[in-house]
Amino acid sequence: MIGSLSHLIRGAALDAILTGTEKINRKLLDAVDLDHAAQNHARHPNAARRP
């Protein structure tokens, strides 16, 4: 899931630079589309992890 987190932070950072806010905030994080693994985990946070 570190890849999902990296994607989220990178997307928010790029948006912060492009919009001129130069700050990552909740609004920017919410605007980034999550990948399949992150979306699946968000829907089922207590699901058993695969080894």
Side-chain angles (χ1 to χ4, degrees):
M1 296 293 250
I2 195 73
S4 299
L5 177 60
S6 175
H7 175 79
L8 175 65
I9 293 171
R10 182 177 185 277
L14 287 172
D15 286 347
I17 292 167
L18 293 174
T19 61
T21 61
E22 298 186 3
K23 183 188 291 187
I24 295 175
N25 56 31
R26 181 65 186 236
K27 183 179 177 182
L28 289 175
L29 291 171
D30 287 342
V32 175
D33 290 330
L34 298 177
D35 62 16
H36 178 72
Q39 287 179 0
N40 212 18
H41 182 72
R43 284 187 215 124
H44 309 288
N46 295 326
R49 293 184 182 181
R50 286 188 269 167

